[in-house]
Amino acid sequence: MWAIYQNGNTTVSFNLTTGTKIRETSDDDFKPAFAENLDIKITNACDRGCPMCYEGSTVGGKHSDIMNQKWLKTLHPFQEVALGGGNVLDFPDLLPLLEKLKSMRVIANITLNQIHFLDHFEFVKKLYKQGLVHGIGVSLVEPTDDLIQKIRQIPTVIIHTIVGITPISHYNALQNKGVKILVLGYKDLGRGQEYRKYKGEKVSLKQEELKQELRYRLKQWKQSFYTISFDNLALQQLAIKELISEEDWERLYQGEEGSQTFYIDAVSQTFSESSIAPLSLRFPIMNHVDQMFAAIQNRHNN
């Protein structure tokens, strides 16, 4: 099933079953009238305690009051939101939020740690089947047979890995399993920054070695995964532009941070061009998502 809508000079086609997205324009550049995707933090509560968590989420982390925030009602039909945390399954208003988004025809995606995904698999699969959730990002801990078997039951699941953290052996174990991979850049924020300082130079060197080996192997893996994609930070850290043709880069690159998307921290009630923006470039949320996107765009243009 395809959803097709117009966003400025861009025609966007989105496959609600597989997550495939196609952008088309007759102009030289894409000029969206509103953000195509919003990255939204809804809670800072999580029981995993991952040592490199850039959000610094904890068991007693604060939940947002997103259901009472005025901008929520201003989302556009078929606009995508990526709900994250913390552990989104700990968020007490998750179901009411997802039901509201569905009633507005907003496409809701979520990101989960592998352990939470497996522990609550039947619930997550139900959310997908009911159309409450579309894309599901699963942060990889270990590529077990159980994980792969469950991922195959939901066609829109994509496995999240981290530059300099995910071992090459994990990628090897996932090859030719029909899975989708998203490589995320390592974020020197929150516990991510503390982790590198605490572990010292030896860990930094190991991360650099992992990064270089990952970059070396990417071309070998071209046919090994259903898809392999990168966030902007990973594109930078792995220097992906140097590995592909200029034509492929122009065709595949989705744009700079803030050009199509932006970030809302519904817990602290701030917004910024991305989740890695420094505190000095995070601003109080406004009452309309288009106002916030325009503010991000103005910063880009000035």
Side-chain angles (χ1 to χ4, degrees), residues 252-271:
L252 297 170
Y253 182 52
Q254 300 293 298
E256 297 178 6
E257 297 283 7
S259 63
Q260 307 278 347
T261 69
F262 71 98
Y263 173 69
I264 295 178
D265 185 335
V267 179
S268 67
Q269 298 192 37
T270 58
F271 75 97

mmCIF file of all heavy atoms in Angstrom, residues 252-271:
data_model
loop_
_atom_site.group_PDB
_atom_site.id
_atom_site.type_symbol
_atom_site.label_atom_id
_atom_site.label_comp_id
_atom_site.label_asym_id
_atom_site.label_seq_id
_atom_site.Cartn_x
_atom_site.Cartn_y
_atom_site.Cartn_z
ATOM 1 N N LEU A 252 21.351 9.195 -3.890
ATOM 2 C CA LEU A 252 21.005 8.547 -2.629
ATOM 3 C C LEU A 252 21.053 9.465 -1.408
ATOM 4 O O LEU A 252 20.366 9.204 -0.420
ATOM 5 C CB LEU A 252 21.956 7.355 -2.390
ATOM 6 C CG LEU A 252 21.886 6.224 -3.414
ATOM 7 C CD1 LEU A 252 23.037 5.259 -3.191
ATOM 8 C CD2 LEU A 252 20.552 5.504 -3.332
ATOM 9 N N TYR A 253 21.872 10.514 -1.455
ATOM 10 C CA TYR A 253 22.037 11.366 -0.278
ATOM 11 C C TYR A 253 20.744 12.106 0.039
ATOM 12 O O TYR A 253 20.124 12.725 -0.836
ATOM 13 C CB TYR A 253 23.174 12.361 -0.516
ATOM 14 C CG TYR A 253 23.475 13.262 0.655
ATOM 15 C CD1 TYR A 253 23.706 12.730 1.918
ATOM 16 C CD2 TYR A 253 23.531 14.642 0.494
ATOM 17 C CE1 TYR A 253 23.993 13.557 2.993
ATOM 18 C CE2 TYR A 253 23.824 15.479 1.561
ATOM 19 C CZ TYR A 253 24.048 14.927 2.813
ATOM 20 O OH TYR A 253 24.325 15.752 3.884
ATOM 21 N N GLN A 254 20.321 12.052 1.308
ATOM 22 C CA GLN A 254 19.030 12.610 1.717
ATOM 23 C C GLN A 254 19.104 14.061 2.182
ATOM 24 O O GLN A 254 18.088 14.653 2.537
ATOM 25 C CB GLN A 254 18.432 11.742 2.837
ATOM 26 C CG GLN A 254 18.183 10.304 2.433
ATOM 27 C CD GLN A 254 17.100 10.179 1.397
ATOM 28 O OE1 GLN A 254 15.949 10.537 1.641
ATOM 29 N NE2 GLN A 254 17.450 9.672 0.228
ATOM 30 N N GLY A 255 20.288 14.635 2.226
ATOM 31 C CA GLY A 255 20.414 16.034 2.621
ATOM 32 C C GLY A 255 21.011 16.220 3.999
ATOM 33 O O GLY A 255 21.082 15.292 4.806
ATOM 34 N N GLU A 256 21.433 17.453 4.277
ATOM 35 C CA GLU A 256 22.036 17.785 5.567
ATOM 36 C C GLU A 256 21.004 17.711 6.692
ATOM 37 O O GLU A 256 19.793 17.750 6.456
ATOM 38 C CB GLU A 256 22.614 19.206 5.524
ATOM 39 C CG GLU A 256 23.739 19.389 4.528
ATOM 40 C CD GLU A 256 24.236 20.824 4.508
ATOM 41 O OE1 GLU A 256 23.776 21.625 5.350
ATOM 42 O OE2 GLU A 256 25.088 21.135 3.664
ATOM 43 N N GLU A 257 21.525 17.617 7.919
ATOM 44 C CA GLU A 257 20.643 17.655 9.089
ATOM 45 C C GLU A 257 19.825 18.945 9.033
ATOM 46 O O GLU A 257 20.352 20.025 8.796
ATOM 47 C CB GLU A 257 21.459 17.628 10.383
ATOM 48 C CG GLU A 257 22.282 16.376 10.578
ATOM 49 C CD GLU A 257 21.472 15.180 11.017
ATOM 50 O OE1 GLU A 257 20.231 15.269 11.042
ATOM 51 O OE2 GLU A 257 22.088 14.137 11.329
ATOM 52 N N GLY A 258 18.523 18.823 9.257
ATOM 53 C CA GLY A 258 17.662 19.992 9.269
ATOM 54 C C GLY A 258 17.093 20.368 7.919
ATOM 55 O O GLY A 258 16.224 21.236 7.842
ATOM 56 N N SER A 259 17.575 19.720 6.832
ATOM 57 C CA SER A 259 17.058 20.068 5.507
ATOM 58 C C SER A 259 15.718 19.406 5.228
ATOM 59 O O SER A 259 14.868 19.961 4.531
ATOM 60 C CB SER A 259 18.067 19.682 4.418
ATOM 61 O OG SER A 259 18.273 18.271 4.411
ATOM 62 N N GLN A 260 15.510 18.223 5.774
ATOM 63 C CA GLN A 260 14.245 17.492 5.596
ATOM 64 C C GLN A 260 13.623 17.101 6.941
ATOM 65 O O GLN A 260 12.449 16.766 7.000
ATOM 66 C CB GLN A 260 14.476 16.198 4.792
ATOM 67 C CG GLN A 260 15.182 16.378 3.461
ATOM 68 C CD GLN A 260 14.240 16.807 2.360
ATOM 69 O OE1 GLN A 260 13.026 16.744 2.517
ATOM 70 N NE2 GLN A 260 14.790 17.249 1.243
ATOM 71 N N THR A 261 14.431 17.139 7.979
ATOM 72 C CA THR A 261 14.011 16.634 9.289
ATOM 73 C C THR A 261 14.467 17.597 10.380
ATOM 74 O O THR A 261 15.278 18.493 10.152
ATOM 75 C CB THR A 261 14.644 15.257 9.566
ATOM 76 O OG1 THR A 261 16.065 15.427 9.752
ATOM 77 C CG2 THR A 261 14.412 14.299 8.405
ATOM 78 N N PHE A 262 13.977 17.376 11.594
ATOM 79 C CA PHE A 262 14.543 18.021 12.780
ATOM 80 C C PHE A 262 14.176 17.220 14.015
ATOM 81 O O PHE A 262 13.469 16.210 13.929
ATOM 82 C CB PHE A 262 14.137 19.495 12.879
ATOM 83 C CG PHE A 262 12.691 19.756 13.227
ATOM 84 C CD1 PHE A 262 12.310 20.046 14.531
ATOM 85 C CD2 PHE A 262 11.704 19.762 12.232
ATOM 86 C CE1 PHE A 262 10.991 20.314 14.856
ATOM 87 C CE2 PHE A 262 10.383 20.033 12.548
ATOM 88 C CZ PHE A 262 10.021 20.299 13.860
ATOM 89 N N TYR A 263 14.695 17.648 15.144
ATOM 90 C CA TYR A 263 14.592 16.876 16.387
ATOM 91 C C TYR A 263 13.781 17.633 17.429
ATOM 92 O O TYR A 263 13.972 18.846 17.606
ATOM 93 C CB TYR A 263 16.001 16.614 16.927
ATOM 94 C CG TYR A 263 16.087 15.964 18.285
ATOM 95 C CD1 TYR A 263 15.695 14.647 18.480
ATOM 96 C CD2 TYR A 263 16.593 16.666 19.377
ATOM 97 C CE1 TYR A 263 15.814 14.036 19.719
ATOM 98 C CE2 TYR A 263 16.720 16.069 20.625
ATOM 99 C CZ TYR A 263 16.321 14.754 20.787
ATOM 100 O OH TYR A 263 16.434 14.166 22.019
ATOM 101 N N ILE A 264 12.884 16.921 18.086
ATOM 102 C CA ILE A 264 12.139 17.480 19.218
ATOM 103 C C ILE A 264 12.407 16.629 20.451
ATOM 104 O O ILE A 264 12.180 15.406 20.425
ATOM 105 C CB ILE A 264 10.620 17.523 18.947
ATOM 106 C CG1 ILE A 264 10.298 18.487 17.799
ATOM 107 C CG2 ILE A 264 9.864 17.951 20.222
ATOM 108 C CD1 ILE A 264 8.814 18.538 17.449
ATOM 109 N N ASP A 265 12.907 17.244 21.501
ATOM 110 C CA ASP A 265 13.030 16.573 22.799
ATOM 111 C C ASP A 265 11.790 16.955 23.593
ATOM 112 O O ASP A 265 11.728 18.033 24.199
ATOM 113 C CB ASP A 265 14.305 17.028 23.513
ATOM 114 C CG ASP A 265 14.555 16.269 24.812
ATOM 115 O OD1 ASP A 265 13.581 15.761 25.400
ATOM 116 O OD2 ASP A 265 15.727 16.196 25.233
ATOM 117 N N ALA A 266 10.785 16.068 23.555
ATOM 118 C CA ALA A 266 9.521 16.365 24.227
ATOM 119 C C ALA A 266 9.654 16.281 25.743
ATOM 120 O O ALA A 266 8.768 16.732 26.466
ATOM 121 C CB ALA A 266 8.428 15.410 23.741
ATOM 122 N N VAL A 267 10.760 15.711 26.240
ATOM 123 C CA VAL A 267 11.003 15.649 27.682
ATOM 124 C C VAL A 267 11.443 17.020 28.185
ATOM 125 O O VAL A 267 10.865 17.581 29.119
ATOM 126 C CB VAL A 267 12.050 14.569 28.024
ATOM 127 C CG1 VAL A 267 12.305 14.542 29.537
ATOM 128 C CG2 VAL A 267 11.601 13.201 27.532
ATOM 129 N N SER A 268 12.473 17.585 27.555
ATOM 130 C CA SER A 268 12.976 18.908 27.964
ATOM 131 C C SER A 268 12.229 20.041 27.271
ATOM 132 O O SER A 268 12.462 21.217 27.578
ATOM 133 C CB SER A 268 14.468 19.022 27.647
ATOM 134 O OG SER A 268 14.684 19.021 26.243
ATOM 135 N N GLN A 269 11.337 19.679 26.322
ATOM 136 C CA GLN A 269 10.542 20.648 25.554
ATOM 137 C C GLN A 269 11.441 21.637 24.809
ATOM 138 O O GLN A 269 11.276 22.848 24.877
ATOM 139 C CB GLN A 269 9.538 21.370 26.453
ATOM 140 C CG GLN A 269 8.528 20.426 27.089
ATOM 141 C CD GLN A 269 7.369 21.143 27.745
ATOM 142 O OE1 GLN A 269 6.898 22.157 27.255
ATOM 143 N NE2 GLN A 269 6.907 20.620 28.869
ATOM 144 N N THR A 270 12.386 21.060 24.065
ATOM 145 C CA THR A 270 13.265 21.842 23.197
ATOM 146 C C THR A 270 13.293 21.202 21.814
ATOM 147 O O THR A 270 12.905 20.045 21.642
ATOM 148 C CB THR A 270 14.700 21.901 23.754
ATOM 149 O OG1 THR A 270 15.213 20.563 23.890
ATOM 150 C CG2 THR A 270 14.739 22.603 25.104
ATOM 151 N N PHE A 271 13.763 21.974 20.823
ATOM 152 C CA PHE A 271 13.935 21.419 19.480
ATOM 153 C C PHE A 271 15.278 21.896 18.927
ATOM 154 O O PHE A 271 15.849 22.894 19.366
ATOM 155 C CB PHE A 271 12.783 21.817 18.555
ATOM 156 C CG PHE A 271 12.813 23.248 18.075
ATOM 157 C CD1 PHE A 271 13.341 23.576 16.827
ATOM 158 C CD2 PHE A 271 12.299 24.281 18.864
ATOM 159 C CE1 PHE A 271 13.365 24.896 16.380
ATOM 160 C CE2 PHE A 271 12.322 25.599 18.423
ATOM 161 C CZ PHE A 271 12.853 25.911 17.173
#
